[in-house]
Amino acid sequence: MNLFRADLFRLVRDKSLYIFAAILTALSTLICLVYYFLSKNSSSATEISKVILQCADLGILSTLTGIAVSLYNGKDFTNNTIRNKIGCGESRYKVFFVKLLENYLLAIVFFAISVGVSAAIGSFLFEHTLLAGFWKQLFCQLALLIGFISVISAVVNTTKSMKVSIILTVALFVVLNALATMIPTLSDGAFVKILCRSVYMIVSNMMVPKFGGGNFGGAEIPDGTYVANIGMTADRQLISVTYDNLYLNAIIIAIVYTAVAITVTLLVLRKQDYK
Amino acid sequence: MEREIILHTANLTKKYMSHYVLNKVEMTVRKGDIYGFVGRNGAGKTTLIRVISGLVVPDEGEFTLFGVNSKSAQINAARRKTCAMVESPSIYPELSAVDNMKCQCRILRRGTGDIKELLNYVGLGETGKKKAGDFSLGMRQRLYIAMALLGEPEFMLLDEPINGLDPEGIKDVRELLLKLNREKGITILISSHILTELEMLATTYAFIDDGKILKEISAEEIAKATKSVSSLAVSDEEKALASLKAIGYEAWAEGGKVFAEGEIDLMKTCERFKEDGIYLEHFSYGGMDLEEYFIKLIGGAE
């Protein structure tokens, strides 16, 4: 608790925290407005839950959270203030677990800002109806974000490098995602298509904490089951799975990410030297 | 009566790849010591401080801190009685001196009541809202010492605390350390390669080179070993020794020569020698400072 209080004391005095919060607020507002203008030109009404899920599913939310975690954790290594904790008799494992909890808290706060702003603005602009499985989807998105933050926490605490962690966060979300989406349209080679589709599927549905349904659209099939198209095969056949499977996958991915990240970090910390 | 042992290292070894940074280090720091840790850059001083403060995991060996073995689960409790400053002060540059202190208070699970008093003690009482990142190096060193004092340490490990400071900063830090040792009874291990400064502080020295402790010696012993002596080559050592002692000098014979502490009165000595039938063949006067002693110890290569 003492370490948590100390870090919180520092965090609330950090201007970048408020800049991140402002960016997320602006983005959620922008998405609400985009949906609002689109719905004005459309015959069907837009449900508020769709807008909220879109805001919670933003790659930028995970990117910003990843960067924020890299910054706040990384500062302890660049300023060498990690010494003030370990040198004062706190175990390196305790220091890591407290940081992990702080990172989860930060992720929840950022997630709440995205969801809260879109819900607040959306309540004036859209229909007050909830999609089937709304709360489950929202929970899964948060779980995936937590899983991803576990990985970023592990990266920054084992490499002790803010830069490496930020680069990895941006690479995962921006560069890989963009490349994987763009390259298939630039090349006719079947091998490149298969490779890029595979990368894209891995990035968008496994590694990136994005809920699968949003990528290629989803539909309610005649028997009442909701399915989502999570990607395409090399010959452009849609790959569909039921939402129930997606929920399960999301939770499993979040748990596996968290477990692997914590295990690897604990093994590294045993022999890790600090400056 | 022997003073309490604060730190004792046994066989402490750390290597990076095949290079030994610490090689079976054995040293003992006792309560009340200002323990001067002398060595060249890369000799292993910083690594040793890092090992003691838990930042680096040793490959072999162990140490006891306040009687607690380094492999015991209680070692973290023992570390709470210490504070370590490794190379540069670890402070949050975006926070003011007071906020840095408040942050450290939370880590140490203590109240913030005496922050002002401690900042005044180190001469930073008037820094207000100025960010620590804008402080001079000397001010940052003093802020870090104030943060360390929050934990009421019984043992401070300071790595090159005067490195990069201007003469005024060096004087400030030196006076502060002496004050802490004398007024608060804090044991201090201080590493430095500015030996003239260490000479003004240390009560015990350890000389380290290539990860090995070459010698551990008290300030009194080193004063004896480095003191200025008059060296005399004479026709009869025994007679000369007796003559010098008769005049009142502390004298001894070694390696075919006779030595007397300090600078002898040559005129007076020659007259006495003449009376006693001793021929003075050669006379020289000189001594060593800590730097020369260290260079002699590591083999004179540098």
Side-chain angles (χ1 to χ4, degrees):
Chain A
M1 201 60 194
N2 58 322
L3 295 179
F4 187 78
R5 285 180 61 225
D7 281 345
L8 210 61
F9 178 84
R10 178 172 63 93
L11 197 61
V12 295
R13 282 161 180 76
D14 200 318
K15 280 179 191 159
S16 62
L17 178 73
Y18 303 100
I19 295 171
F20 283 126
I23 293 172
L24 284 173
T25 305
L27 276 171
S28 295
T29 309
L30 187 68
I31 285 169
C32 285
L33 293 176
V34 168
Y35 267 89
Y36 175 68
F37 289 116
L38 285 176
S39 69
K40 280 180 88 176
N41 299 323
S42 162
S43 53
S44 60
T46 305
E47 295 153 317
I48 187 171
S49 53
K50 196 178 172 187
V51 183
I52 294 174
L53 285 175
Q54 184 59 55
C55 289
D57 194 28
L58 283 174
I60 194 82
L61 168 63
S62 308
T63 312
L64 282 180
T65 315
I67 292 173
V69 162
S70 307
L71 271 178
Y72 300 138
N73 287 206
K75 271 185 185 175
D76 253 355
F77 299 109
T78 49
N79 296 333
N80 292 316
T81 38
I82 190 92
R83 295 173 189 159
N84 297 355
K85 297 168 181 170
I86 293 173
C88 287
E90 299 294 350
S91 95
R92 47 185 67 197
Y93 304 110
K94 185 180 166 189
V95 170
F96 167 66
F97 277 114
V98 169
K99 278 185 185 298
L100 194 63
L101 284 179
E102 289 160 10
N103 297 341
Y104 289 163
L105 182 69
L106 198 69
I108 291 168
V109 168
F110 281 7
F111 188 83
I113 290 172
S114 281
V115 170
V117 170
S118 55
I121 298 173
S123 65
F124 296 105
L125 303 177
F126 308 114
E127 249 185 38
H128 292 192
T129 51
L130 293 182
L131 288 168
F134 168 76
W135 293 109
K136 274 188 191 173
Q137 270 202 50
L138 206 60
F139 176 74
C140 288
Q141 282 168 351
L142 179 61
L144 284 167
L145 179 62
I146 296 286
F148 175 72
I149 291 308
S150 304
V151 175
I152 297 299
S153 304
V155 171
V156 69
N157 283 287
T158 52
T159 62
K160 296 172 281 177
S161 167
M162 187 194 289
K163 282 181 192 161
V164 169
S165 183
I166 291 176
I167 289 168
L168 191 80
T169 306
V170 174
L172 275 177
F173 282 100
V174 182
V175 182
L176 261 184
N177 222 337
L179 278 180
T181 314
M182 281 161 49
I183 290 175
T185 64
L186 303 175
S187 167
D188 289 319
F191 174 74
V192 177
K193 276 186 182 174
I194 294 169
L195 184 72
C196 293
R197 274 295 156 204
S198 313
V199 172
Y200 180 67
M201 283 178 63
I202 292 168
V203 171
S204 61
N205 296 298
M206 295 291 289
M207 294 181 76
V208 179
K210 280 183 79 171
F211 199 74
N215 294 330
F216 288 87
E220 184 181 1
I221 57 173
D223 68 355
T225 311
Y226 280 90
V227 294
N229 304 321
I230 61 164
M232 278 189 196
T233 60
D235 54 355
R236 300 210 164 256
Q237 296 296 307
L238 285 171
I239 303 167
S240 302
V241 292
T242 64
Y243 266 100
D244 282 341
N245 273 343
L246 280 178
Y247 299 142
L248 187 65
N249 283 349
I251 299 299
I252 290 172
I253 290 167
I255 291 172
V256 169
Y257 274 23
T258 305
V260 171
I262 291 176
T263 309
V264 170
T265 308
L266 293 184
L267 288 174
V268 172
L269 286 186
R270 269 184 70 219
K271 282 279 170 189
Q272 192 171 50
D273 292 338
Y274 295 98
K275 265 195 199 169
Chain B
M1 200 176 81
E2 289 264 288
R3 283 170 296 141
E4 180 194 344
I5 292 176
I6 301 291
L7 170 72
H8 177 71
T9 69
N11 206 27
L12 212 53
T13 302
K14 177 75 185 175
K15 61 178 178 181
Y16 291 112
M17 309 295 275
S18 58
H19 175 67
Y20 281 87
V21 189
L22 294 178
N23 195 350
K24 298 181 178 165
V25 168
E26 306 260 350
M27 58 186 274
T28 305
V29 180
R30 291 180 184 277
K31 193 171 173 63
D33 274 350
I34 296 184
Y35 194 95
F37 204 32
V38 183
R40 293 180 288 187
N41 285 333
K45 305 184 298 287
T46 305
T47 307
L48 184 102
I49 292 177
R50 284 192 179 129
V51 168
I52 307 304
S53 51
L55 297 169
V56 165
V57 183
D59 294 319
E60 283 172 45
E62 56 189 31
F63 62 88
T64 55
L65 188 63
F66 295 98
V68 179
N69 189 281
S70 55
K71 289 172 182 167
S72 149
Q74 301 305 311
I75 190 67
N76 281 334
R79 283 201 181 104
R80 284 188 195 121
K81 297 185 203 171
T82 72
C83 85
M85 183 166 81
V86 187
E87 285 176 339
S88 56
S90 318
I91 53 173
Y92 293 107
E94 70 275 14
L95 299 183
S96 67
V98 171
D99 281 349
N100 265 290
M101 296 284 277
K102 281 181 179 171
C103 199
Q104 193 65 15
C105 283
R106 281 162 174 80
I107 293 174
L108 296 167
R109 306 178 180 87
R110 75 190 296 283
T112 55
D114 52 353
I115 284 179
K116 190 82 190 159
E117 188 188 324
L118 279 171
L119 284 175
N120 283 332
Y121 189 78
V122 297
L124 292 176
E126 304 302 321
T127 52
K129 288 184 178 175
K130 189 176 179 181
K131 287 180 180 174
D134 297 329
F135 285 6
S136 69
L137 181 60
M139 289 167 82
R140 290 205 294 269
Q141 306 275 46
R142 282 183 281 145
L143 171 59
Y144 189 72
I145 290 173
M147 285 163 68
L149 292 177
L150 286 168
E152 293 171 5
E154 293 174 36
F155 182 33
M156 293 175 92
L157 299 112
L158 306 172
D159 182 30
E160 308 277 3
I162 48 179
N163 221 9
L165 295 181
D166 57 23
E168 197 183 351
I170 291 176
K171 185 172 165 274
D172 286 350
V173 171
R174 186 205 314 139
E175 283 172 1
L176 180 60
L177 294 179
L178 284 170
K179 196 159 94 167
L180 290 171
N181 180 255
R182 286 166 192 167
E183 290 177 9
K184 295 185 186 280
I186 297 173
T187 306
I188 297 171
L189 182 149
I190 176 172
S191 87
S192 183
H193 54 254
I194 305 174
L195 302 184
T196 45
E197 273 304 316
L198 269 190
E199 272 183 304
M200 294 186 214
L201 288 169
T203 56
T204 308
Y205 295 89
F207 296 91
I208 186 170
D209 197 43
D210 272 340
K212 284 183 187 166
I213 296 284
L214 302 175
K215 193 158 192 137
E216 200 177 30
I217 186 169
S218 72
E220 292 84 41
E221 286 171 309
I222 215 161
K224 224 175 195 178
T226 60
K227 70 188 172 188
S228 300
V229 290
S230 300
S231 165
L232 302 95
V234 290
S235 57
D236 189 326
E237 280 174 39
E238 273 182 36
K239 271 189 176 177
L241 202 58
S243 303
L244 285 166
K245 282 180 177 171
I247 300 169
Y249 294 121
E250 196 174 307
W252 65 97
E254 199 179 298
K257 281 187 175 179
V258 177
F259 297 91
E261 198 177 303
E263 189 175 11
I264 58 169
D265 182 335
L266 204 54
M267 193 73 88
K268 201 168 159 187
T269 305
C270 284
E271 274 172 16
R272 177 74 193 216
F273 278 5
K274 197 177 172 186
E275 280 170 23
D276 297 342
I278 304 162
Y279 294 103
L280 178 62
E281 293 159 1
H282 183 260
F283 169 79
S284 65
Y285 168 74
M288 276 189 287
D289 60 16
L290 194 57
E291 203 166 75
E292 287 165 331
Y293 181 82
F294 172 61
I295 288 169
K296 188 183 160 199
L297 207 60
I298 61 170
E302 280 69 36

